[in-house]
């Protein structure tokens, strides 16, 4: 598909903009194989003799770019199969994105393709570009020439590609492939990733995502990319409600819950960026530098205002700027940094630079050699013209080695304000005479922070045990369960739960109560009662067997009165536990991603602030442990107001064991929720739980 | 200062980069008056005869640009005064920003200037540019030529100016003034704003801020700008701890608490932007469109991916995108929008545009005429070259009127990815043949949202009563007060407080308790006890006179044991109130801005989430009311879990009355804090308060 030896343009016509654009792109890109124009009327098109049918190119084309309307596509597919043209780019709109009738047509298209042994890219896309093989199978506008690069791009929007190509050039981020997948009827983003991973040219994969259709291959490809050291950077549209509605109309797919997407991407090492511009900056930075060696960053600039911006943006993005080592401060002073300049990180060489330009390379080198610095960021661009380049290297500095040659750590350039790279500037970098410029500090620092986190995740992953899928339990899911049954299931599989005793009469309640020391809790046990407190189904702080007896009698009567139809199996008697942090731990089935684990702190945290962390299962214990630190309420876990700090390792084990029980429940599990899991220091206990079957 | 008729460059020299840059800038800018070069050695400099002293230019220069080191500045000032050159730009560094000795020199500089009747811009700055009068009194690098514009810029960083000028050109945001204020020894940002407001050329004021030194003039200028319809847009550095440290070193000033800055700026209509790039986009947008007529925005694009980005960014920035009216949907269908395109806002005309380009202007006009739309945003740039312009207007569309001419609402252009405006493109806009491009959607939408909010603030301000400064109270502040005294002060000035009775013996406590119905609270009363609960100084839920008696005896004994030196005036008996929302209302003195009002919800909200709203006093009641809606905990005010919704008008009155008492306390007030103010529905009551005197 992506490196065809011979291409046929089906629906070629002088009058079609699609036709002359596609043909022109392939020609201008110096496509090294034959281009065939197919039109039933034959004749000369774009100055070349056309053939009347795909049959005429049998054996001479691997790919057909189909420019016709949706109705003629099935017949063209038959011809393609007959002519052994196995790959089709179908650009026609009016399929799944256009409503029910279109969706039916698209299903038929895919079925026919499978029957005929064809691969389809699209429909409703703009084609693809492979700069490595000079294959510009692109049906719309594009720059006249492209430099082959190593960023592979898969996009669920074709129009994005048109604009993205110019922006990539202006930022000097050359790409290897740009694949517009359209409605993804056969080839989805995941297949695109899979293909790119198979190509030696791929150093970074960049994605424009609206929804993931082939989730298993997507996760698999993401994990293989992480293992192979190929960063995957994704911009995902549809973050908010408005966005989701809009993209649904666009691709005919339902965007899943965006927070689940965020969780999945992070969990599998995919770097999610906040803006479409950041997709380019972050991909470009990772393309230029690959895995970064550490997280401590030193900055050298020529302005205090830059330092202010750097400080602010770094803090927002969690970048660590260590203090300069004493040896570095000495080197700076000895090298001529004036007294009115403060020797700190970020370093401002001050306007004294105008008097003595040599303090800039001296300062860069001093900070690069600082023992506490893993990465050096300098302020700098690339000369846009030969004249600027001459000025740049002027002043007798020609023999001086560049900071890139001297520095023991990676050197990244950022600008105060973003500027475009000219063709001259791009050529300088291709010749190795200029470094990569990671946009402005505003964009470059977030990109750097993400690249650092990706590098650290990659390293830490090597020492983590993979998550395991627990063996399936054999459970009776034919009727809904009571909460007692849910708690017992957890208890039976190693989850710590509060002792609970089912009592079925007032006598039994009283007798059982006699064996308890402290205050007790009595709760109704019934699969039919959803909100126990609302119907008088909970009694707290019972102190004596007599109180328990009275509570039992009152509770049964109250619940009977409120829900006469409810089947009541009795009540559950438990000891009342001291206060602690009450966590909500839920495993729920997501439409797109399957079982997801949700953890949050109860009360206002979950109810008002929606403070929760999400992972898709399976997730290993290290991953579960990271969930707590993501919560806004995390300070409460660290020992707030004299409470003992929570033992996060222990808690991660307990939450993992709950997740494992849920995962073992099988396909009929709709939700398993523990509410609360009471946590205090290194103890945690399930106080209540529920299970719902589909 | 900013429009001098005659300029002297003092310290002119062939060998000084500052000198040839300054002279070159003035020449290239076609400065229309005399330029004098001053050097004690005389001779020819930059091809022009130099004079040996400022004395030689008496009557022929209004401004001296002083390029010498800090030591020679005092003597030059004497000469300037003698020669009646009243305005000096002093670029030398090594003053206040360089430590104690520099700060002393700077104080002497300012004192001397005042004695001699001189104005100084700087020191430690780069000069200024006035494009309206062609005065490029700029000592560093700058673009060869500038188009006069209407954005006035004041910057606390000179280096920023260098880079900003190029970026402003690339975004086609021409400026009228760029003033680098350096250390602000005499002319601060506020004086700069004041000057710009006096100029007819000023449509927008843009600020780069690190700290505000002249707060009264700053607030006054901001308010006058708002009243005059001149938006002030500010980027403030030093948001986080790192940033604050860095900028302190840069300008020798302590950046105040950044959250207070945010509050002050918002309160006085100054638009705070998040990035330095946003300063340009937002200023440019307001320069091009001024006050916007409403807040409902319609978008027309050529891509679903753009719609996704627009939806996401709009939601994050609180932009309202109304549904399209039925009449608009009909117009779109009749105009040729294909069936597979969804008629919604944001509107995607789809790739069908390639087949029928006319659907784009048709769609833009239809959405512009939608009765629910106040502002139209279209996807578009400006042709970069004559060739592109020819293509742009090709296809026989020349006679068609542009959307800018037809639209009944403002039309704003944004791009998918940002591009630079060429000289050709800027010329097109100057000729009225192209509109303003507000960068990419990523930057343009936040700028638009801020411009809309500024426009709405301006309109709503017209109907609000101004805040008043209450008359000063005559209070004995010679010793610290007990909490009882603080509560009584509030009660005495119209603030609702819980009834409280000072009792000074167990007998009195018991007797007083007899008059109460419900449960009671007893609290120790002493100016010396800071943390009452820690020393047994609070007893809750007392039910009978006997319980109150016992509590009194135990409390006095406990507090005496814990703090033997504390002077105890007795205990305060109050009725215990039902639960509600417990607010913290504090008035504290900020180093920079004076008394600030802080409001937050107690508990985890303030303690863990730092959920608070801030205003500088005086603030009117409407402003105080807005504080509650800014809180993350605001959902709790709206009637959470069955509680009655809080009457915000009433609450704003109560909080304003607390703020008024604090403001009336005079300069010795360090803090007045109510904790809690218990709120339930339309009732609120101070349960406890404290006052601290300086």
């Amino acid at each position: 598909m992506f490196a065809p030896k011979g291409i046929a343009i089906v629906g070629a016509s002088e009058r079609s903009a699609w036709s002359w654009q596609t043909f022109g792109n392939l020609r201008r890109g110096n496509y090294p194989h034959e281009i065939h124009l197919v039109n039933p009327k034959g004749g000369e098109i774009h100055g070349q003799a056309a053939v009347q049918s795909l049959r005429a190119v049998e054996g001479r084309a691997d790919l057909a770019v189909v420019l016709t309307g949706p109705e003629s596509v099935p017949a063209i597919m038959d011809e393609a199969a007959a002519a052994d043209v196995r790959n089709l780019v179908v650009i026609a709109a009016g399929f799944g994105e256009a409503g029910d009738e279109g969706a039916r047509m698209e299903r038929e298209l895919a079925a026919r393709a499978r029957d005929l042994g064809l691969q389809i890219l699209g429909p409703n896309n703009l084609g693809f570009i492979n700069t490595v093989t000079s294959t510009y199978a692109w049906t719309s506008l594009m720059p006249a020439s492209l430099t082959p690069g190593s960023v592979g791009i898969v996009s669920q929007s074709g129009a994005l590609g048109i604009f993205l190509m110019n922006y990539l050039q202006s930022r000097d981020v050359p790409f290897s492939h740009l694949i517009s997948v359209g409605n993804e009827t056969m080839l989805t983003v995941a297949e695109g990733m899979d293909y790119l991973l198979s190509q030696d040219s791929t150093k970074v994969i960049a994605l424009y995502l609206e929804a993931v259709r082939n989730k298993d291959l997507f996760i698999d490809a993401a994990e293989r990319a992480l293992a192979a050291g190929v960063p995957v950077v994704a911009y995902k549209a549809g973050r908010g409600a408005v966005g989701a509605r809009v993209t649904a109309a666009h691709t005919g797919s339902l965007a899943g819950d965006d927070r689940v997407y965020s969780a999945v991407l992070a969990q599998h090492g995919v770097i999610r960026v906040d803006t479409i511009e950041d997709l380019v900056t972050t991909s470009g930075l990772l393309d230029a530098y690959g895995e970064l060696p550490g997280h401590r960053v030193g900055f050298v600039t020529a302005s205090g205002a830059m330092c202010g911006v750097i400080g602010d943006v770094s803090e927002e993005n969690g970048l660590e700027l260590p203090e300069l080592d004493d040896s570095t401060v000495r080197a700076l002073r000895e090298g001529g940094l004036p007294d009115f300049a403060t020797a700190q990180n970020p370093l401002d060489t001050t306007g004294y630079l105008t008097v003595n330009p040599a303090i800039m390379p001296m300062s860069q080198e001093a900070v690069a050699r600082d023992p506490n610095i893993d990465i050096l960021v300098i302020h700098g661009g690339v000369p846009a013209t030969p004249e600027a380049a001459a000025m740049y290297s002027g002043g007798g500095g020609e023999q001086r080695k560049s900071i890139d040659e001297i520095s023991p750590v990676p050197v990244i350039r950022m600008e105060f304000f973003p500027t475009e790279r000219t063709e001259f500037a791009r050529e300088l970098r291709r010749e190795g005479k200029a470094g990569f410029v990671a946009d402005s500090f505003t964009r470059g620092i977030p990109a750097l922070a993400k690249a650092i986190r990706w590098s650290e995740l990659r390293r830490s992953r090597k020492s983590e045990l993979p998550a395991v899928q627990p063996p399936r339990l054999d459970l009776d899911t034919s009727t809904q369960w009571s909460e007692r049954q849910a708690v017992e299931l957890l208890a039976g599989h190693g989850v710590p739960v509060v002792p609970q005793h089912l009592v079925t009469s007032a006598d039994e309640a009283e007798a059982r109560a006699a064996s308890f020391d402290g205050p007790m809790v009595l709760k109704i046990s019934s699969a039919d009662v959803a909100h126990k407190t609302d119907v008088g189904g909970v009694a707290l702080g019972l102190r004596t067997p007599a109180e328990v007896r009275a509570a039992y009698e009152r509770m049964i009567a109250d619940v009977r009165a409120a829900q006469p139809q409810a089947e009541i199996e009795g009540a559950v008697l438990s000891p009342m536990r001291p206060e602690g942090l009450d966590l909500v731990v839920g495993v729920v089935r997501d439409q797109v991603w399957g079982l997801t684990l949700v953890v949050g702190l109860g009360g206002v945290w979950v109810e008002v602030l929606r403070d929760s962390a999400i992972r898709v299962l399976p997730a290993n214990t290290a991953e579960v442990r990271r969930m707590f630190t993501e919560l806004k309420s995390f300070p409460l876990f660290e020992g707030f107001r004299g409470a003992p700090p929570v033992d996060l390792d222990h808690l991660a084990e307990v939450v993992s064991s709950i997740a494992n029980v849920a995962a073992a429940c099988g396909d009929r599990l709709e939700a398993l929720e523990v509410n609360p899991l009471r946590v205090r220091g290194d103890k945690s206990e399930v106080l209540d739980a529920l299970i719902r079957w589909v």
Side-chain angles (χ1 to χ4, degrees), chain A residues 123-421:
Chain A
N124 189 23
N125 76 332
L126 292 180
F128 68 88
I129 292 170
N130 181 341
T131 61
V132 181
T133 60
S134 299
T135 308
Y136 295 4
W138 189 254
T139 60
S140 187
L141 302 171
M142 60 172 288
S145 78
L146 294 166
T147 307
S150 41
V151 177
I153 304 163
V154 189
S155 173
Q156 286 182 336
S157 159
L160 172 83
I162 301 174
F163 298 97
L164 183 60
M165 277 187 268
N166 288 303
Y167 190 67
L168 286 163
Q169 277 208 336
S170 79
R171 263 53 188 173
D172 197 12
V173 181
F175 64 90
S176 62
H177 299 77
L178 169 63
I179 302 171
S180 161
V181 290
N183 286 6
E184 303 188 310
T185 200
M186 296 184 80
L187 295 180
T188 75
V189 165
E191 278 83 6
M193 292 164 70
D194 189 52
Y195 165 75
L196 289 173
L197 279 173
S198 74
Q199 300 297 301
D200 290 341
S201 57
T202 309
K203 283 174 64 184
V204 174
I205 295 175
L207 307 178
Y208 170 80
L209 279 186
E210 291 174 353
V212 170
R213 282 191 178 80
N214 189 347
K215 81 173 175 84
D216 294 327
L217 182 58
F218 181 88
I219 289 176
D220 179 61
E223 286 291 337
R224 278 187 284 130
L226 185 61
V230 175
V232 181
V233 188
Y235 175 80
K236 160 133 187 356
R239 288 200 289 271
V242 180
R245 174 171 61 82
V246 169
T247 54
H250 179 46
T251 61
S253 80
L254 263 178
D257 174 21
D258 189 68
R259 293 198 58 213
V260 178
Y261 267 95
S262 271
V264 172
L265 298 180
Q267 196 171 339
H268 298 291
V270 177
I271 301 166
R272 182 171 187 176
V273 292
D274 297 330
T275 71
I276 192 83
E277 289 98 325
D278 289 336
L279 182 67
V280 172
T281 311
T282 309
S283 299
L285 189 104
L286 282 158
D287 181 45
Y289 299 94
E291 185 178 322
L292 293 165
H295 63 280
R296 300 168 308 169
V297 186
F299 285 86
V300 180
T301 80
S303 136
M306 287 185 213
C307 293
V309 170
I310 289 167
D312 285 345
V313 184
S314 293
E315 202 192 345
E316 278 157 25
N317 288 278
L319 213 60
E320 188 182 328
L321 275 59
E323 296 284 336
L324 295 181
D325 193 73
D326 287 346
S327 62
T328 309
V329 174
R330 264 198 311 279
L332 288 168
R333 293 300 180 205
E334 282 162 16
L337 188 74
D339 288 341
F340 54 80
T342 314
Q344 65 184 5
N345 180 22
L347 178 66
D348 166 18
T349 59
T350 77
Y352 188 68
L353 200 59
T354 307
V355 179
N356 178 12
I359 62 169
M360 180 53 84
M362 179 281 297
S363 300
Q364 292 173 346
E365 183 175 347
V367 175
R369 295 195 186 283
D370 188 293
N372 302 321
I373 296 293
D374 301 319
I375 296 159
L376 173 68
V377 179
I378 63 175
H379 172 247
V382 177
T385 60
E387 297 73 37
M391 244 186 75
Y392 206 65
S393 63
E398 301 257 20
Q399 55 279 65
R400 175 191 283 280
K401 284 193 170 178
S402 80
I403 182 67
D404 309 77
E405 292 170 277
I406 299 168
S407 173
V409 299
V411 180
I412 301 176
R413 283 165 175 75
M414 297 183 194
E415 298 183 287
F416 206 172
F417 291 96
T419 59
E420 295 175 5
R421 299 279 87 77

Side-chain angles (χ1 to χ4, degrees), chain A residues 2 10 74 144 149 246 398 434 462 530 539 544 557 582 604 652 660 664:
Chain A
F2 299 116
V10 182
V246 169
E398 301 257 20
K462 291 176 187 161
T544 63
D582 280 353
V604 295
N660 280 339

Side-chain angles (χ1 to χ4, degrees), chain A residues 393-691:
Chain A
S393 63
E398 301 257 20
Q399 55 279 65
R400 175 191 283 280
K401 284 193 170 178
S402 80
I403 182 67
D404 309 77
E405 292 170 277
I406 299 168
S407 173
V409 299
V411 180
I412 301 176
R413 283 165 175 75
M414 297 183 194
E415 298 183 287
F416 206 172
F417 291 96
T419 59
E420 295 175 5
R421 299 279 87 77
T422 59
E423 174 54 33
F424 175 77
R426 295 197 297 270
E427 184 60 32
L428 273 188
R429 181 160 160 244
R430 279 201 292 277
E431 291 168 0
K433 293 179 187 160
F436 177 70
V437 182
D439 214 273
S440 68
F441 295 113
T442 309
R443 289 218 182 289
I445 291 173
L448 176 57
K450 283 176 195 286
I452 287 173
R453 273 197 289 276
W454 176 84
S455 302
E456 296 198 318
L457 175 70
R458 191 169 135 68
R459 284 189 287 270
S460 71
R461 266 299 183 83
K462 291 176 187 161
S463 63
E464 285 177 19
L465 293 172
V468 285
Q469 191 75 44
R472 182 76 162 270
L473 297 173
D474 185 25
L475 303 170
D476 175 9
T477 64
S478 57
T479 57
Q480 296 296 344
W481 288 18
S482 71
E483 301 190 0
R484 181 189 60 81
Q485 288 172 289
V487 172
E488 280 173 5
L489 176 69
L490 290 168
H493 293 87
V495 180
V497 307
V498 72
Q500 54 171 24
H501 304 281
L502 179 67
V503 291
T504 54
S505 71
D507 287 345
E508 197 184 348
E510 186 174 1
R512 192 46 103 171
S515 65
F516 280 96
D517 253 0
M520 290 160 276
V521 183
L522 192 71
K523 290 186 287 191
I524 198 78
S525 184
S526 164
D528 300 330
V529 176
H531 302 287
K532 293 192 291 287
T533 41
D534 294 357
V535 293
V538 178
L540 301 171
L542 307 172
R543 288 177 185 273
T544 63
E547 278 182 39
V548 170
R549 177 183 195 95
Y552 184 89
E553 285 167 347
R554 194 169 53 238
M555 184 176 292
I556 298 295
D558 286 353
V559 175
R560 284 248 164 78
Q563 281 189 232
Q565 310 300 326
E567 200 164 298
I568 298 172
E569 62 174 6
V572 169
L573 186 66
S574 295
M576 194 156 162
R577 295 308 197 191
E579 292 205 350
L581 291 181
D582 280 353
L583 262 59
V584 181
V585 180
V587 177
V588 291
R589 193 172 293 280
D590 180 81
Q591 253 186 299
V592 178
W593 298 101
L595 290 186
T596 55
L597 172 65
V598 185
V599 171
L601 194 62
V604 295
W605 296 98
V606 158
E607 290 178 51
V608 183
L609 295 166
R610 307 182 148 274
D611 179 29
S612 59
I614 303 176
R615 292 294 185 283
V616 170
L617 295 182
N620 69 19
T621 311
E623 199 65 49
V624 171
R625 192 183 190 283
R626 280 191 278 270
M627 296 176 79
F628 310 121
T629 59
E630 285 171 17
L631 296 173
K632 292 178 214 152
S633 51
F634 183 64
L636 299 189
F637 289 68
E638 294 183 296
F640 189 67
R641 281 189 178 167
V646 171
D647 180 338
L648 295 180
D649 292 322
H650 159 81
L651 184 58
E653 292 288 349
V654 172
V655 172
S656 293
S657 67
I658 295 170
N660 280 339
V661 173
C665 280
D667 297 340
R668 299 221 354 116
L669 184 79
E670 185 181 304
L672 165 63
E673 188 180 277
V674 169
N675 187 6
L677 177 71
R678 180 153 296 174
V679 182
R680 199 174 164 86
D682 58 358
K683 296 253 181 309
S684 40
E685 228 176 23
V686 173
L687 298 195
D688 217 338
L690 64 79
I691 279 188

